[in-house]
Amino acid sequence: MDGICFNIRHGALRGFAFAVALALPASLSAPVRADDSADAFAANFAGMAKAAPGFAAPSHAVNLSTITPPVDDQAADDGDDAGQVIGSGIASYYGRKFNGRPTASGERFDMNALTAAHKTLPFGSKVRVTNPRNGKSVVVRINDRGPYSHGRLIDLSRAAASEIGLVGPGSGTVELALLDG
């Protein structure tokens, strides 16, 4: 009987330890709040070096020193400004599962907004995403980091993916152009 009780207690203890391990990393990082000022955010990182010695950016990386992100939060219009072409690759989208969750920029994800996740572009950057198969394009604002799936260039909100015809197939090749604001 003691062996059975030990096994039950041991199994419960392992289950508890596993639950604590899952919850622990989430409690160690504090999310960026929307009411934090840009100055306070910059002050948190003021002591960090710009780059590690001997660091060489990959050839496909965007040179952030040449980009001036827009200051206003209003969506860019679909005017004639073609923008700076920054590449092409596979786009996917994310929607209902992530709706309302915080993004890397600190704002809540809205699957009905024209937003996107990119690995390196500054938050607030406006990007024209064009589907070369049908010629449709949409202007999105970068507010999240990703995509984390191998080989993907950008993750669009469901609304943005719908605008260019990617909801049905789930993903597709797109061309990106960085807009001036």
Side-chain angles (χ1 to χ4, degrees):
M1 187 72 169
D2 286 332
I4 294 172
C5 289
F6 173 78
N7 286 340
I8 292 172
R9 274 188 258 135
H10 183 70
L13 184 60
R14 283 184 16 194
F16 176 73
F18 181 74
V20 169
L22 286 177
L24 191 58
S27 66
L28 292 178
S29 64
V32 177
R33 295 186 312 264
D35 60 344
D36 286 346
S37 71
D39 294 335
F41 180 79
N44 288 333
F45 296 96
M48 296 179 73
K50 293 223 182 240
F55 174 78
S59 62
H60 65 276
V62 175
N63 183 353
L64 296 179
S65 65
T66 64
I67 299 172
T68 306
V71 177
D72 66 272
D73 198 21
Q74 296 176 353
D77 64 14
D78 285 347
D80 293 333
D81 181 18
Q84 174 189 355
V85 176
I86 57 174
S88 64
I90 303 296
S92 55
Y93 75 95
Y94 57 126
R96 191 167 287 114
K97 179 179 176 182
F98 297 96
N99 201 37
R101 292 186 183 182
T103 63
S105 67
E107 67 184 78
R108 297 268 176 217
F109 174 66
D110 179 1
M111 69 182 202
N112 299 310
L114 298 178
T115 58
H118 191 274
K119 289 178 185 168
T120 58
L121 289 173
F123 295 136
S125 298
K126 298 288 182 6
V127 178
R128 180 181 311 281
V129 182
T130 304
N131 182 345
R133 291 187 68 132
N134 59 20
K136 293 182 179 181
S137 67
V138 63
V139 175
V140 296
R141 181 175 49 85
I142 304 299
N143 72 336
D144 204 0
R145 290 292 172 233
Y148 297 107
S149 297
H150 181 69
R152 303 272 169 92
L153 179 63
I154 192 167
D155 268 343
L156 303 172
S157 65
R158 188 179 199 293
S162 179
E163 291 275 329
I164 62 171
L166 288 184
V167 171
S171 64
T173 301
V174 295
E175 298 168 350
L176 302 183
L178 185 64
L179 304 178
D180 288 335

